Amino acid sequence: MAVEKSMTTSFEDAPPAKRALAAAFVEALRTTPLAKLTVAGLAQAAGVNRQTFYHHFTDIYDLARWVFAAEIADHIMAHASYDQWADGCRELLVYLKAHHEQTYAVIRSLRHSDLERFFHRSLRAMMAVIVSELEGDLRLKPADRDFVIDHYTLAVVGHVMHWLATNMADDPVELVSRVEFILHGTVRESLERFAAR
């Protein structure tokens, strides 16, 4: 339950102390490995006490999960349009690769199903915006529309999860370019086919 709570809060909706702890965490990671960060050090850097830290997070890894989730959500939703989604996805994967240690520390602290649900929830929000944009005046049944959103969400989630499972072996720019090439035009085509049947 703590994972679900921490992974659904955005930076802008967070209290000032929580944002300060997140900023201190990100700054500390520039010079210190995640495993060597301390609650006392982060609380001091954020200008809060340890009790305030524990009011918002259960431990350092809970804070890492929250920052990870908020960063991902920001990258995804900042580019939630048909023309820009690939740019957002590309920036996201480049960000994850640049923060390799933090990314895998967070991944190792989550069950596979929790990680997959998180990526699905975040990427589905983006795909819903794209489908809404492409749907135009087509008349789709809500169940068909939801299926299209889920289908393309799962395709992207599958690639992201596989990329993470292979230690980010593929170049993120090339991977997103290939996914974009396959998806280009097919989302609208799928909507048209469901509307016409």
Side-chain angles (χ1 to χ4, degrees):
M1 188 61 74
V3 170
E4 284 298 308
K5 182 180 178 185
S6 66
M7 296 191 81
T8 56
T9 307
S10 67
F11 282 132
E12 62 186 38
D13 297 332
K18 194 169 187 177
R19 290 199 308 269
L21 285 164
F25 173 79
V26 171
E27 183 59 33
L29 281 179
R30 297 181 195 279
T31 57
T32 309
L34 180 62
K36 294 191 180 295
L37 296 181
T38 66
V39 170
L42 290 176
Q44 182 178 9
V48 301
N49 58 39
R50 287 171 58 94
Q51 185 178 358
T52 300
F53 179 96
Y54 288 115
H55 173 73
H56 295 292
F57 304 105
T58 56
D59 56 24
I60 296 283
Y61 288 96
D62 189 36
L63 168 57
R65 283 190 290 270
W66 185 73
V67 171
F68 177 83
E71 289 279 4
I72 287 174
D74 284 353
H75 276 90
I76 291 171
M77 294 313 293
H79 299 85
S81 72
Y82 183 67
D83 291 335
Q84 295 184 14
W85 76 266
D87 292 335
C89 197
R90 192 176 299 110
E91 284 181 20
L92 169 61
L93 297 194
V94 168
Y95 169 85
L96 295 178
K97 191 159 190 169
H99 297 84
H100 186 277
E101 181 194 0
Q102 178 191 352
T103 297
Y104 281 102
V106 170
I107 287 171
R108 284 190 295 271
S109 74
L110 295 172
R111 291 180 306 202
H112 179 84
S113 58
D114 288 335
L115 183 67
E116 187 171 351
R117 270 197 299 273
F118 164 68
F119 275 115
H120 183 271
R121 185 170 55 246
S122 299
L123 290 167
R124 192 183 194 283
M126 174 195 75
M127 194 60 67
V129 172
I130 292 169
V131 166
S132 179
E133 182 182 326
L134 293 176
E135 187 176 9
D137 58 357
L138 295 174
R139 293 191 169 277
L140 274 81
K141 294 177 183 175
D144 290 340
R145 185 178 186 278
D146 286 344
F147 183 82
V148 172
I149 292 169
D150 283 329
H151 174 76
Y152 288 105
T153 299
L154 289 168
V156 178
V157 169
H159 283 293
V160 172
M161 294 292 287
H162 179 72
W163 181 72
L164 291 171
T166 57
N167 198 33
M168 306 179 182
D170 291 337
D171 174 64
V173 174
E174 181 63 23
L175 174 60
V176 174
S177 294
R178 287 176 173 171
V179 173
E180 181 182 23
F181 182 76
I182 288 174
L183 294 185
H184 187 75
T186 62
V187 179
R188 171 68 186 188
E189 181 184 350
S190 297
L191 293 169
E192 289 172 349
R193 290 175 65 191
F194 271 109
R197 78 174 187 171

